[in-house]
């Protein structure tokens, strides 16, 4: 069997980082880990080709070669997933789909024309799919009926299928599931509340494979919540610490974790010792009432700002997820988020309007309340789309706060000051490649550095801060200088994405107005003013 694995294209989002990828001569931030895991579970005597459409489209030759096309996607990739399925069917191929989007909204996959729906977790449903193929069946839906597989039996993903040079980071998965109850999150339904972890040996075997392939960059542990099972995470980290030492610290790591990480000093110490550099924290909002309503109780147990501060001082740079548009939210939510971000010095706040995902408790509630504005798959969901449900506050007020909050957080001067304040208090790394605190820069890193010096240190209005803060970090915290400069390079994406957010929201509000949902005169005036301001800044910068 010749199996073509197709990973659909993402739209432009906060995470696409095009401007930075261009500078470092890479095409995509992360690879399709799910598809190469699936490839490892399918028969190894089959032939495989992987096409990540974020790198390049599938060629005619590849379509012709394939007997079976396998796709996996998240809801944000919906549009291109539909396109790939239709193209495969137009060419008369058998199509199997799986992954989080197909599992949450199987109806959409039927509509798109897929033959096989291999849903839930592959460890259970792929064998069922293979049995059906053997029986000569040409369609079917395979589900695990609530059974969660033991991930200690999951094989090493077929990393060899990657076009390695196209990716900025690679990814591995240590655990699935999360013990918490956040109302808007689909992880609980997809993977359950009892976190299941791989064994330390299994993880080291995966890292060995990446190491042998020559990878020497960042590895993202793409767990839903890396610290869902703290005891097991610590056990794995102890082994990883030895592995990193034995191999000369070839990898830096990043991951996602709940804010209660701050309560466990030993866990943070081990993460830093293993060269974890950053962690994504789901903060959502500093408003306790909204946190309570959305069942994010773990963010209320200890003072949120103190928790973030503890994590930074331990040596982990936080990225923070923030949401505007919760029920019960009072006007000014955007400003309160900006105040929190400034107070804590989180360099990279990821601010979005609330979107209700299918397969969540929130979806069920809004459905019951008749507040969904979309059916089934949730509509087009990404960082720059208006809410897909009827909000309690006027949607134009929420959109205005979102745009203003994003523009404020990523104003050039505000950003560089915040990054500086974060790195002044950031705990130093224990060890990195080469020698304490420094690593030998790669050629592309030197090119990025020179580009950023010209743009931020000479041409833009940030020039004085650029040199002052940079020299201050060099003398006061040399161990974090390289990491600090990477964050400054990220601004080349943020400056571009600021324009994008303003334009996107403005267009959607105009459409909304013309469809006579809620007229938004106040927001339109603001958006126009902001676009004018951004155009002036673009001329300066
Ligand atoms: S902590 Fe994160 S992964 Fe866990 S339920 Fe909440 S949002 Fe989902």
């Amino acid at each position: 069997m010749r199996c073509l694995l197709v990973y659909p294209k993402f739209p432009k989002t906060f995470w696409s980082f095009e401007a930075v990828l261009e500078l470092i001569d890479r095409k995509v931030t992360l690879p399709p880990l799910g598809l190469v895991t699936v490839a490892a579970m399918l028969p190894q005597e089959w032939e495989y080709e992987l096409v990540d459409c974020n790198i390049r489209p599938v060629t005619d030759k590849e379509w012709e070669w394939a007997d079976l096309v396998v796709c996996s996607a998240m809801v944000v990739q919906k549009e291109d997933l539909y396109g790939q399925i239709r193209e495969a069917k137009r060419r008369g191929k058998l199509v199997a789909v799986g992954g989080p989007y197909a599992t949450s909204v199987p109806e959409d996959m039927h509509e798109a024309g897929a033959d096989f729906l291999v849903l839930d977790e592959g460890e259970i449903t792929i064998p069922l799919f293979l049995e059906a193929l053997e029986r000569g069946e040409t369609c079917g839906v395979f589900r695990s009926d609530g059974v969660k597989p033991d991930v200690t039996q999951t094989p090493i993903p077929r990393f060899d299928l990657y076009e390695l040079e196209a990716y900025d980071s690679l990814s591995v998965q240590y655990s699935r599931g999360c013990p918490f109850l956040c109302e808007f999150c689909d992880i609980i339904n997809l993977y359950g509340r009892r976190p299941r972890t791989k064994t330390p040996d299994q993880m080291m075997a995966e890292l060995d494979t990446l190491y042998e392939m020559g990878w020497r960059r960042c590895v993202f542990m793409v767990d839903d919540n890396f610290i869902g099972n703290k005891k097991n995470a610590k056990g794995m980290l102890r082994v990883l610490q030895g592995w990193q030492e034995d191999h000369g610290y070839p990898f830096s790591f990043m991951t996602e974790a709940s804010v209660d990480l701050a309560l466990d000093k030993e866990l943070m110490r081990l993460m830093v010792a293993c060269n974890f550099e950053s962690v994504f924290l789901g903060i959502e909002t500093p408003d306790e009432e909204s946190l309570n309503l959305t069942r994010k109780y773990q963010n209320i147990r200890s003072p949120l700002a103190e928790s973030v501060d503890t994590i930074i001082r331990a040596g982990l740079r936080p990225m923070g997820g923030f949401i505007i548009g919760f029920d019960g939210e009072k006007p000014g939510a955007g400003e309160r988020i900006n105040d929190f971000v400034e107070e804590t010095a989180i360099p990279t706040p990821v601010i979005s309007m609330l979107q209700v995902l299918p397969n969540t408790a929130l979806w069920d509630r809004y459905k019951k309340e008749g507040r969904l504005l979309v059916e089934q798959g949730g509509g087009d969901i990404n960082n720059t789309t208006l809410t897909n449900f009827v909000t309690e506050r006027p949607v134009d007020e929420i959109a205005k706060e979102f745009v203003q909050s994003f523009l404020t957080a990523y104003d050039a001067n505000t950003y560089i000051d915040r990054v500086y304040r974060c790195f002044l208090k950031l705990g130093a790394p224990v060890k990195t490649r080469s020698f304490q605190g420094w690593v030998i820069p790669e050629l592309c890193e030197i090119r990025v550095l020179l580009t950023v010096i010209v743009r931020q240190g000479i041409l833009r209005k940030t020039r004085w801060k650029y040199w002052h803060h940079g020299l201050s970090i060099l003398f006061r915290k040399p161990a974090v200088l390289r990491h600090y400069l990477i964050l400054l390079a990220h601004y080349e994406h943020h400056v571009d994405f600021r324009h994008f957010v303003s334009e996107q929201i403005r267009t959607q509000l105009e459409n909304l107005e013309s469809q006579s949902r809620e007229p938004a005169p106040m927001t339109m005036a603001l958006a126009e003013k902001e676009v004018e301001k951004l155009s002036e800044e673009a001329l300066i910068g």
Side-chain angles (χ1 to χ4, degrees):
M1 178 79 82
R2 289 187 297 237
C3 178
L4 179 64
L5 305 154
V6 179
Y7 195 52
K9 226 171 146 51
F10 283 91
K12 186 179 173 83
T13 71
F14 181 86
W15 298 107
S16 29
F17 278 88
E18 294 93 345
V20 178
L21 291 169
E22 202 183 309
L23 286 178
I24 58 173
D25 209 13
R26 302 266 157 170
K27 297 266 192 294
V28 192
T29 45
L30 283 169
L33 178 64
L35 274 177
V36 295
T37 307
V38 165
M41 294 180 204
L42 289 168
Q44 292 310 292
E45 58 277 17
W46 288 10
E47 291 173 57
Y48 295 95
E49 280 286 338
L50 169 68
V51 179
D52 181 346
C53 299
N54 299 285
I55 301 175
R56 64 175 180 85
V58 184
T59 63
D60 279 339
K61 210 169 145 203
E62 284 161 336
W63 282 123
E64 278 158 29
W65 169 87
D67 300 317
L68 170 71
V69 175
V70 174
C71 299
S72 170
M74 294 188 265
V75 65
V76 67
Q77 293 159 282
K78 179 179 182 169
E79 199 181 318
D80 195 44
L81 173 66
Y82 270 53
Q84 301 301 337
I85 295 174
R86 273 192 219 113
E87 184 58 20
K89 289 313 299 170
R90 192 181 69 77
R91 293 170 181 263
K93 306 293 171 186
L94 273 183
V95 178
V97 289
Y101 173 38
T103 296
S104 291
V105 200
E107 305 85 347
D108 278 9
M109 299 303 107
H110 285 302
E111 198 181 298
D115 303 297
F116 295 102
L117 275 58
V118 190
L119 308 177
D120 302 312
E121 293 176 68
E123 287 84 350
I124 292 179
T125 51
I126 287 175
L128 304 176
F129 162 60
L130 292 174
E131 284 166 21
L133 273 186
E134 258 173 43
R135 291 193 298 269
E137 292 169 19
T138 53
C139 64
V141 179
F142 311 97
R143 301 225 63 148
S144 61
D145 297 325
V147 182
K148 304 287 178 211
D150 173 5
V151 291
T152 62
Q153 302 307 311
T154 306
I156 298 176
R158 287 284 308 271
F159 297 125
D160 57 294
L161 295 168
Y162 288 155
E163 267 178 59
L164 215 57
E165 292 305 310
Y167 297 105
D168 176 46
S169 301
L170 292 187
S171 46
V172 292
Q173 186 183 47
Y174 169 60
S175 71
R176 289 183 208 160
C178 176
F180 295 116
L181 279 167
C182 311
E183 193 189 22
F184 55 83
C185 178
D186 57 359
I187 293 303
I188 315 156
N189 286 342
L190 286 170
Y191 303 115
R193 289 190 60 204
R194 192 177 64 80
R196 289 160 290 137
T197 57
K198 292 180 178 170
T199 65
D201 284 350
Q202 216 178 343
M203 285 312 294
M204 297 316 120
E206 293 192 17
L207 296 178
D208 278 338
T209 311
L210 298 183
Y211 183 81
E212 278 154 24
M213 286 164 59
W215 190 253
R216 298 291 184 275
R217 298 166 69 97
C218 179
V219 175
F220 187 3
M221 292 228 183
V222 291
D223 298 23
D224 313 312
N225 182 359
F226 177 68
I227 62 162
N229 183 329
K230 291 191 178 116
K231 184 168 163 272
N232 285 9
K234 283 182 201 170
M236 190 278 286
L237 288 169
R238 285 190 191 100
V239 179
L240 177 57
Q241 188 180 356
W243 188 95
Q244 282 275 63
E245 228 166 275
D246 292 347
H247 292 78
Y249 290 82
F251 303 144
S252 60
F253 292 99
M254 58 188 284
T255 193
E256 302 177 319
S258 42
V259 179
D260 58 321
L261 171 65
L263 300 174
D264 199 323
K265 284 203 169 61
E266 173 68 355
L267 188 47
M268 291 187 289
R269 188 194 66 73
L270 281 166
M271 287 172 74
V272 175
C274 290
N275 208 18
F276 276 71
E277 283 185 342
S278 58
V279 59
F280 182 91
L281 303 169
I283 291 167
E284 323 310 357
T285 169
D287 295 350
E288 279 203 13
E289 200 182 324
S290 298
L291 289 170
N292 240 321
L293 265 167
T294 198
R295 301 196 216 150
K296 192 117 197 170
Y297 307 124
Q298 67 273 26
N299 284 17
I300 304 170
R301 277 178 212 139
S302 321
L304 254 184
E306 275 176 34
S307 297
V308 176
D309 194 66
T310 307
I311 291 169
I312 296 176
R313 289 183 193 282
L316 295 163
R317 169 177 61 84
M319 290 169 277
F322 293 92
I323 296 174
I324 303 181
F326 287 115
D327 284 356
E329 189 177 77
K330 305 268 184 317
E335 265 176 48
R336 292 192 293 278
I337 287 175
N338 287 123
D339 290 347
F340 183 86
V341 166
E342 288 308 308
E343 181 193 348
T344 49
I346 294 175
T348 319
V350 186
I351 307 163
S352 317
M353 275 181 281
L354 180 62
Q355 303 287 348
V356 55
L357 290 173
N359 205 13
T360 60
L362 188 63
W363 180 278
D364 295 341
R365 177 159 73 84
Y366 283 169
K367 194 170 181 182
K368 230 183 261 168
E369 294 172 3
R371 293 171 62 189
L372 295 179
L373 291 174
V374 285
E375 288 169 15
Q376 292 179 187
D380 288 328
I381 295 176
N382 69 49
N383 300 109
T384 56
T385 44
L386 293 179
T387 53
N388 57 355
F389 64 97
V390 178
T391 47
E392 281 189 353
R393 287 200 287 152
V395 71
D396 67 305
E397 185 180 304
I398 294 171
K400 172 194 154 199
E401 286 188 10
F402 163 64
V403 174
Q404 190 57 59
S405 176
F406 198 92
L407 294 177
T408 305
Y410 288 102
D411 166 76
N413 278 312
T414 312
Y415 180 77
I416 198 169
D417 280 344
R418 194 169 63 241
V419 173
Y420 174 57
R421 281 187 283 112
C422 173
F423 276 75
L424 277 185
K425 62 179 176 177
L426 184 71
V430 174
K431 281 263 172 62
T432 55
R433 218 187 317 158
S434 300
F435 56 95
Q436 177 80 32
W438 287 88
V439 289
I440 298 161
E442 292 173 18
L443 206 62
C444 74
E445 290 176 329
I446 295 172
R447 200 178 58 225
V448 175
L449 181 65
L450 293 176
T451 309
V452 173
I453 286 177
V454 172
R455 291 183 189 171
Q456 297 180 20
I458 298 173
L459 297 176
R460 291 205 189 113
K461 61 183 179 180
T462 49
R463 60 187 77 89
W464 301 116
K465 287 178 191 285
Y466 181 88
W467 292 108
H468 169 269
H469 296 355
L471 290 172
S472 168
I473 293 283
L474 173 65
F475 291 113
R476 292 163 72 180
K477 301 283 291 284
V480 298
L481 180 65
R482 180 177 175 276
H483 193 176
Y484 169 79
L485 293 173
I486 290 172
L487 263 277
L488 291 197
H490 284 183
Y491 191 70
E492 297 310 308
H493 163 68
H494 302 317
V495 71
D496 170 50
F497 202 70
R498 280 181 98 217
H499 286 262
F500 188 69
V501 165
S502 296
E503 294 282 7
Q504 290 288 307
I505 298 298
R506 174 186 146 117
T507 309
Q508 289 169 72
L509 286 173
E510 275 170 0
N511 290 342
L512 202 63
E513 204 174 357
S514 65
Q515 288 161 20
S516 78
R517 190 168 134 174
E518 281 277 311
M522 189 167 63
T523 311
M524 295 312 305
L526 174 114
E528 273 158 25
K529 234 169 74 193
E530 283 306 336
V531 170
E532 268 169 34
K533 204 172 125 201
L534 286 167
S535 308
E536 276 168 29
E537 281 179 15
L539 287 175
I540 297 165

